[in-house]
């Protein structure tokens, strides 16, 4: 699932300080009261309802993700750029709109989050025509200016691999297109995109090529011919890396779970991938977060696969979905990312997935806001002790104040936090 470019998503002003930030809860290991300022935001624009996702019948899958043979290296494939060191708190942002209005909304979302540093900007190239995929003149200009304002910002750009990307193209035609792409017929489109990004002075853009390739929604899907899909990906990477001045990073981002095909069958090889991402929404209905972790090709399999291939992880798309307003999912997904240190994550913030531009998820919105209020992605400071002080007894956890409501985030998160998160809901 991903934004459809024939519609636009829409979104606050909240000034004040946090009484006790959620980061203090993580540091202290005690149950603590977290209060956030009044949410006096203006009503956000309401986007049109999203296009229904295509359901895929569940198919039995092995309980262990199988190893994947590496495709043979393409001679002359340029060396990928070195990645910056990981920090303890992931760089984050949200998808708010594909066009320039998404940039303005990032500033508003940051204010709602108490000045939290949204260092990641995320947008999508339309996939209607090849000119869209080349970054049609003017589409990327505002995003490039936003990225160029600060050296530590990150621009994430989803790139379709085929035109008519949401047109319901048949498997037979997709197979033919993949073979044409693997033969180099479409190389010039991706060279044009790379040259445009370099001219715009965003040569280090993170490129999420052919996202959710393991599903059935997009023309750029892998299932009809995985071997041709992998060769096509490698041609695109080789073509874009050949452009002088580029420092692109390529993010391989399937959807969580098996979907139509196991995403490991689509992996194009370590020399053509810089980041191993995953789009992970709260679905299907009734699936608990623990099951999302342990299912075949799920969250844990993703982390393990990336570790085995010595790649950082990312979550380009995540958010609520089939289980509605689910504060437990929201808290546990945020805690999962804090624990596993992705290079970046971006919440999909429109209904039914979001928490700021979508009024349908008020409980999850409170958890998201409390967890990230005032957050930056700077690493914690761990002073090095010069002596061995006498250990002091740990005081008992204080009881929850009468006007503070506990949030049930599940045993796993509560054990990790050292207690139950307590948030004031008097907004």
């Amino acid at each position: 699932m991903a934004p459809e470019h024939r519609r636009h998503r829409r979104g606050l002003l909240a000034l004040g300080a946090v009484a006790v930030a959620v980061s203090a809860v993580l540091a202290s290991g005690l149950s603590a009261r977290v209060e956030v300022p009044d949410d006096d935001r203006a009503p956000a624009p309401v986007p049109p309802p999203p296009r229904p996702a295509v359901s895929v019948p569940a198919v039995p899958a092995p309980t262990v993700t199988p190893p994947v043979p590496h495709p043979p290296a393409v001679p002359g494939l340029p060396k990928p750029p070195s990645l910056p060191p990981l920090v303890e708190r992931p760089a984050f942002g949200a998808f708010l709109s594909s066009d320039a209005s998404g940039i303005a909304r990032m500033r508003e979302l940051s204010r709602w989050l108490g000045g939290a540093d949204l260092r990641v900007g995320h947008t999508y190239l339309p996939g209607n025509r090849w000119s869209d995929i080349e970054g049609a003149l003017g589409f990327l200009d505002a995003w490039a200016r936003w990225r160029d304002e600060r050296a530590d910002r990150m621009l994430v750009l989803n790139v379709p691999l085929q035109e008519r990307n949401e047109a319901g193209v048949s498997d037979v035609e997709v197979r033919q297109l993949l073979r044409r792409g693997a033969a180099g017929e479409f190389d010039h489109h991706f060279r044009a995109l790379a040259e445009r990004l370099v001219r715009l002075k965003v040569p280090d853009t993170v490129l999420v090529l052919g996202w959710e390739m393991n599903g059935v929604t997009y023309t750029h899907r892998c299932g009809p011919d995985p071997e041709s899909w992998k060769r096509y990906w490698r041609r695109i990477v080789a073509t874009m890396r050949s452009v002088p001045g580029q420092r692109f990073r390529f993010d391989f981002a399937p959807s969580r779970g098996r979907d139509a095909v196991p995403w490991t069958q689509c992996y194009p090889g370590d020399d053509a991938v810089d980041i191993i991402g995953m789009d992970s929404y709260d679905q299907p209905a009734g699936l608990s977060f623990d099951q999302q972790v342990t299912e075949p090709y799920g969250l844990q399999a993703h982390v393990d696969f990336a570790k085995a291939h010595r790649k950082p992880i990312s979550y380009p798309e995540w958010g609520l979905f089939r289980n509605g307003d689910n504060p437990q999912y929201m808290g546990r997904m945020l805690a999962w990312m804090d624990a596993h240190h992705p290079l970046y994550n971006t919440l999909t913030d429109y209904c039914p997935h979001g928490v700021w531009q979508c009024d349908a998820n008020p409980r999850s919105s409170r958890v998201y806001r409390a967890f990230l209020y005032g957050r930056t992605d700077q690493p914690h400071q761990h002073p090095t002790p010069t002596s061995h002080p006498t250990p002091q007894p740990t005081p008992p956890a204080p009881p929850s104040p009468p006007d503070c409501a506990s949030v049930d985030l599940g045993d796993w998160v509560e054990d990790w936090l050292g207690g139950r998160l307590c948030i004031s809901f008097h907004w």
Side-chain angles (χ1 to χ4, degrees), residues 24-38:
V25 177
L26 302 181
S28 67
L30 299 177
S31 175
R33 175 182 181 180
V34 178
E35 296 182 356
V36 293
D38 291 342

Side-chain angles (χ1 to χ4, degrees), residues 7-36:
R7 65 175 185 265
H8 295 283
R9 284 73 163 156
R10 314 290 185 231
L12 315 308
L13 182 60
L15 299 175
V18 184
V20 180
V22 172
S23 57
V25 177
L26 302 181
S28 67
L30 299 177
S31 175
R33 175 182 181 180
V34 178
E35 296 182 356
V36 293

Side-chain angles (χ1 to χ4, degrees), residues 65 263 298-310 313 340:
T65 303
W263 51 261
L299 289 171
Q300 188 63 55
H302 168 231
V303 169
D304 294 342
F305 186 88
K307 183 177 181 181
H309 290 262
R310 299 184 179 182
I313 63 172
H340 291 284

Side-chain angles (χ1 to χ4, degrees), residues 58-59 61-65 214 255-259 263 278-284 287-302 304 336:
V59 179
T63 57
V64 179
T65 303
N214 55 324
S255 57
R256 195 200 73 241
R258 188 184 192 279
D259 214 326
W263 51 261
M278 178 165 279
D279 290 354
S280 186
Y281 291 92
D282 186 21
Q283 65 170 343
L287 193 71
S288 70
F289 188 81
D290 286 331
Q291 290 170 314
Q292 294 177 31
V293 171
T294 60
E295 69 176 326
Y297 311 101
L299 289 171
Q300 188 63 55
H302 168 231
D304 294 342
W336 175 268

